[in-house]
Amino acid sequence: MKNAAIKLSLFFNYFVFAILLNCVGIVMLQMQLNFGVSKSDASILEGFKDLPIAIAAFIFASFLPKIGLKKSMLIALALVTIVCSIMPFADAFWYFKLLFFVIGVSFALIKVSVFSTIGLLTNNEKEHSSFMNFLEAIFMSGVMLGGFVFSYFVNDADPKSKEWLQIYLIIAGLSFLAFLLLLFSKLDEKEAKIENTSLEKDFKEMIVMIAKPLIIVFILSIFFYVMIEQSFSTWMPTFYKEILRAPTSLAIQAGSILAGATFLGRLLSGFVLLRVKWIHFLSFCLLAIAAIVLLVMPLAKNIIIENNATMTWLNAPFVLYLLPIMGLFLAPIYPTLNSTILSSLPKHMHSSMSGLIVVFSALGGTTGSIITGHVFESFNGTTAFYFSLIPVSLIFILLWILNSLIYKNHSNSNVVV
């Protein structure tokens, strides 16, 4: 198959970073158990991951083709390999701040480079879309597998044990293999070279776009969505451990099941959206998310566990199965919103719009994690998850405003209003 080596390399890159990016909730739980870090302090790890992604992606977007896409990915993999190699020796919280900072910057390099490389490896929109879907599937498989592997290294009998840090040696090994695979893969980057762009030009275009009502509503929708998604995915292990009284390993696995449900939800939504208008489908998804929260939280308050040491998925209370189902309904919202806004804009604006998506997604993720962490610590986990009903309600309203603005935009010959 043409370009098989470089395509396999991109898949491998995404798989490694799926594990790294989505272990933050697991690490936050272990920080509380191993180092006595408070929930509010642990929540800032999300910021150490997301803010570097936003800043680095914006800065690097214009210049990576000039630096070299392959070279940029090699730098990212090298950085991750080095930092993961030292993590088994971590004995303080700052190690983990450094870890997620490096992960954030490296992922920005990887994401911008991978997205630019896809265009070099595909010949038409159908191939591009197909390859992108495969990448998303690989990413979600990394999220799912990562949670189960982390849970295997966790010692339920000794919460203070740091055996789980050894998993970073495995991740370092995977990253190094990805580095070698990419190093010996051929990539023709001539078509990606950009000579007439600058950071100043891209920045001005993004600022102008932000002032448009359509873009403002979209940005707010994305911001609140990622706030919800990251709140649940990041704090679910802690919620299962403290509120549902589950063993640590099972609490971590719950996050993987949520990822699995998200993967399934994205597959199914592709078929549903062929037959159902996006605004109606996403409205249904938001109502389903609210219903699950309103059902699970009262059950969580009344749960009684006599001996969680013997708890497994085979004998766990019914309520433990309900929360991950939310992934089915969270899954379609983000990609559908992105596709909808990009389809409504002229193609020359897609690059700037993509930059805004990355920036405000990262900001939303950080904000959601920090707010949930503070509410979790000040009140309790059920109150923290009840809080998600506020952004769910706001997104519901924003979606209908967005739908109206897009219709108005189309009626005015694609002039953004």
Side-chain angles (χ1 to χ4, degrees), residues 14-23 26 135-150 233 252-263 266:
Y14 250 49
F15 180 80
V16 171
F17 275 91
I19 297 173
L20 288 168
L21 287 166
N22 289 275
C23 72
I26 299 169
L135 269 179
E136 291 292 341
I138 293 295
F139 189 87
M140 292 311 301
S141 69
V143 175
M144 290 185 284
L145 182 61
F148 282 105
V149 173
F150 265 92
S233 62
I252 292 172
Q253 290 167 11
S256 292
I257 295 174
L258 177 67
T262 303
F263 170 69
R266 285 182 178 166

Side-chain angles (χ1 to χ4, degrees), residues 343-378:
S343 299
S344 70
L345 296 174
K347 289 186 177 181
H348 71 272
M349 301 176 71
H350 285 196
S351 178
S352 296
M353 191 68 249
S354 297
L356 291 175
I357 289 171
V358 173
V359 170
F360 285 92
S361 294
L363 293 176
T366 299
T367 304
S369 180
I370 291 175
I371 290 176
T372 303
H374 281 278
V375 176
F376 206 124
E377 184 172 42
S378 300

Side-chain angles (χ1 to χ4, degrees), residues 78-98:
L79 289 172
V80 166
T81 300
I82 293 169
V83 75
C84 285
S85 297
I86 68 173
M87 289 312 295
F89 308 101
D91 58 3
F93 189 36
W94 70 264
Y95 277 90
F96 298 90
K97 295 178 182 178
L98 174 64

Side-chain angles (χ1 to χ4, degrees), residues 268-282:
L268 295 176
S269 63
F271 297 102
V272 174
L273 287 167
L274 292 174
R275 298 168 175 81
V276 181
K277 192 174 181 180
W278 71 270
I279 182 64
H280 297 142
F281 183 50
L282 295 194

Side-chain angles (χ1 to χ4, degrees), residues 272-322:
V272 174
L273 287 167
L274 292 174
R275 298 168 175 81
V276 181
K277 192 174 181 180
W278 71 270
I279 182 64
H280 297 142
F281 183 50
L282 295 194
S283 296
F284 167 76
C285 289
L286 288 167
L287 292 174
I289 292 168
I292 291 173
V293 171
L294 292 172
L295 176 63
V296 171
M297 295 308 116
L299 292 174
K301 283 185 177 180
N302 299 321
I303 192 171
I304 299 175
I305 304 294
E306 295 181 0
N307 183 13
N308 72 348
T310 60
M311 185 190 298
T312 67
W313 286 109
L314 296 176
N315 61 14
F318 178 67
V319 64
L320 270 70
Y321 296 92
L322 293 177

Side-chain angles (χ1 to χ4, degrees), residues 185-395:
S185 300
K186 293 182 179 180
L187 177 62
D188 185 356
E189 302 184 30
K190 286 185 293 185
E191 293 183 49
K193 299 296 182 184
I194 303 174
E195 305 296 339
N196 299 317
T197 61
S198 66
L199 180 61
E200 182 181 0
K201 180 180 178 181
D202 290 342
F203 183 75
K204 287 181 178 179
E205 186 177 24
M206 291 178 68
I207 294 299
V208 171
M209 287 182 65
I210 293 175
K212 307 296 184 180
L214 174 64
I215 306 304
I216 292 173
V217 174
F218 168 75
I219 285 173
L220 289 174
S221 302
I222 287 293
F223 179 86
F224 287 127
Y225 167 76
V226 181
M227 177 188 290
I228 297 168
E229 183 186 52
Q230 288 297 105
S231 297
F232 284 113
S233 62
T234 300
W235 287 100
M236 186 172 286
T238 302
F239 183 86
Y240 268 68
K241 174 70 176 177
E242 295 191 5
I243 306 301
L244 300 182
R245 305 288 189 265
T248 303
S249 58
L250 192 146
I252 292 172
Q253 290 167 11
S256 292
I257 295 174
L258 177 67
T262 303
F263 170 69
L264 180 60
R266 285 182 178 166
L267 284 180
L268 295 176
S269 63
F271 297 102
V272 174
L273 287 167
L274 292 174
R275 298 168 175 81
V276 181
K277 192 174 181 180
W278 71 270
I279 182 64
H280 297 142
F281 183 50
L282 295 194
S283 296
F284 167 76
C285 289
L286 288 167
L287 292 174
I289 292 168
I292 291 173
V293 171
L294 292 172
L295 176 63
V296 171
M297 295 308 116
L299 292 174
K301 283 185 177 180
N302 299 321
I303 192 171
I304 299 175
I305 304 294
E306 295 181 0
N307 183 13
N308 72 348
T310 60
M311 185 190 298
T312 67
W313 286 109
L314 296 176
N315 61 14
F318 178 67
V319 64
L320 270 70
Y321 296 92
L322 293 177
L323 205 53
I325 294 175
M326 188 181 297
L328 290 170
F329 305 103
L330 282 168
I333 299 174
Y334 188 73
T336 303
L337 279 174
N338 289 340
S339 176
T340 300
I341 194 66
L342 288 172
S343 299
S344 70
L345 296 174
K347 289 186 177 181
H348 71 272
M349 301 176 71
H350 285 196
S351 178
S352 296
M353 191 68 249
S354 297
L356 291 175
I357 289 171
V358 173
V359 170
F360 285 92
S361 294
L363 293 176
T366 299
T367 304
S369 180
I370 291 175
I371 290 176
T372 303
H374 281 278
V375 176
F376 206 124
E377 184 172 42
S378 300
F379 299 94
N380 54 57
T382 53
T383 301
F385 279 7
Y386 267 132
F387 184 82
S388 67
L389 294 175
I390 296 175
V392 166
S393 301
L394 291 173
I395 295 174

